[in-house]
Amino acid sequence: MLHTVNKSPLDRNTLESCIQHALKGSAVLLIEDGVYGAMQGTQKSPMVESAMKEVSFYVIGPDLKARGIDASRVIDGIDIIDYSGFVDLVAKYDKTQSWL
Amino acid sequence: MKFSILVSEGPYTHQAADTAYNFTQAALEKGHEIYRIFFYHDGVNNGTRLTTPPQDDRNIVNRWSALALEHEIDLVLCVAAAQRRGIADADEARRNGKDADNIAAGFRISGLGQLIDAGIESDRLITFGD
Amino acid sequence: MSKRFLYVNRKAPYGTIYALESLEVVLIGAAFEQDVSLAFLDDGVFQLTRGQQTDELGVKNFSPTYKALGDYDVNKIYVERESLEARGLSLDDLLPLTYEDEDDDWAEKDSIKLVSAAELAEIMQAQDVVLSF
């Protein structure tokens, strides 16, 4: 299953709740304000880094750029993708759950 | 692959409508089929032709209309959500005794059953909202 | 062939319209004879609390509608234990939701199933369509 998260983990528990319900082998895609969850060195980065042992993480590049987050500030191992990559992920996983 | 999309937020306040549009375009470019885009909650505000953004801003409503025209995409506004928020086509306006309609080109108003149908008929249903 | 639909509710009622309009989808969707489940987690568990009184707000109290779900054959209502506990709630604080089991001589049964976060994760994984409100 593909999970999408569009909230900053510093503002809401959405990403935390998503991670708690993401099974091994599933994927989490950070979109919109969710991309703040991909940043290194935040209070919430350790939560993401720990989850990455079992779950693949992706982030929308255009959303990062819009917010002035350079790729060098993204946690190592998170794949930066565009909307075409987003479509591929939705196709690859059998269903998508949007954590709103 | 056959995709359907649920848009749960109105234009401009939230990014959801922009993300949904960018996703839809990318899906079409890759040769996927968009079975339906369903607008619910404040998402029905994506379908009013009275929207008039500043000239240097994107026109989210016109963008949907153009997409529907070019790719024959079924854009559906939920009737119950639309009635609450003052979005009407000619039939709805007449039925509810309103003096005007405001639905944009390429959109139609129908029931929530169209969302369930999209879930049944599509390979994937993805939600953009808040 | 029917699909498995899960409606995920994570938002409290009244502050926003999502809870009410989610319920409207569930009621309409029930007519499509799909395999329907509801999940309540995070602040979504507040949707099911007893004692909601909205008259002083001037808005409709829609909580009694949850009790009608059993009549629509919507009887798989999963409530997450961790979410309840984090909010100082227990099952006793929630509306009694029941249905009549036609396979068991119409015996009245509880629709609410208390599940752990880990169990809910498996339930989510087992669906065909997940709608979040």
Side-chain angles (χ1 to χ4, degrees), chain A residues 67-78:
Chain A
R67 290 161 178 81
I69 306 169
D70 192 79
S72 64
R73 312 254 333 241
V74 171
I75 295 170
D76 286 340
I78 297 184

Side-chain angles (χ1 to χ4, degrees), chain C residues 27 40 46 52 64 69 77 79 91 97 101 109 116 118-119:
Chain C
L27 294 174
F40 292 87
F46 287 130
Q52 298 177 29
L69 287 172
I77 299 180
V79 174
L91 265 187
L97 305 186
D101 188 352
K109 296 188 175 175
S116 68
E119 287 169 323

Side-chain angles (χ1 to χ4, degrees), chain B residues 6 9 40-41 81 84-85 112-113 115-116 119-120 122 125 127 130, chain C residues 3 5 7 11 17-18 20-21 24-25 28-29 32 34 129 131 133:
Chain B
L6 168 61
E9 288 300 329
Y40 195 41
H41 304 303
R84 279 194 180 111
R85 293 160 179 90
L112 274 170
L115 171 60
I116 309 298
I120 294 169
S122 308
L125 174 60
T127 304
D130 184 37
Chain C
K3 281 192 174 182
F5 276 69
Y7 298 92
K11 294 184 169 124
I17 198 170
Y18 301 106
L20 168 61
E21 288 192 332
E24 290 182 348
V25 179
I28 297 288
F32 283 72
Q34 304 296 304
V129 179
L131 283 163
F133 294 98

Side-chain angles (χ1 to χ4, degrees), chain C residues 35-111:
Chain C
D35 181 351
V36 174
S37 303
L38 272 60
F40 292 87
L41 64 154
D42 295 327
D43 277 357
V45 300
F46 287 130
Q47 292 180 29
L48 298 180
T49 53
R50 295 172 191 254
Q52 298 177 29
Q53 294 179 337
T54 60
D55 35 326
E56 288 176 45
L57 289 187
V59 303
K60 189 173 148 192
N61 176 2
F62 58 91
S63 67
T65 311
Y66 292 105
K67 290 198 250 185
L69 287 172
D71 300 334
Y72 287 81
D73 285 332
V74 176
N75 49 39
K76 283 181 283 191
I77 299 180
Y78 299 102
V79 174
E80 188 179 280
R81 183 180 294 117
E82 288 88 336
S83 298
L84 270 186
E85 285 172 358
R87 288 158 183 79
L89 299 175
S90 70
L91 265 187
D92 294 338
D93 296 303
L94 303 185
L95 295 162
L97 305 186
T98 57
Y99 70 104
E100 292 175 347
D101 188 352
E102 60 178 313
D103 298 326
D104 190 7
D105 198 22
W106 305 100
E108 193 175 80
K109 296 188 175 175
D110 287 331
S111 298

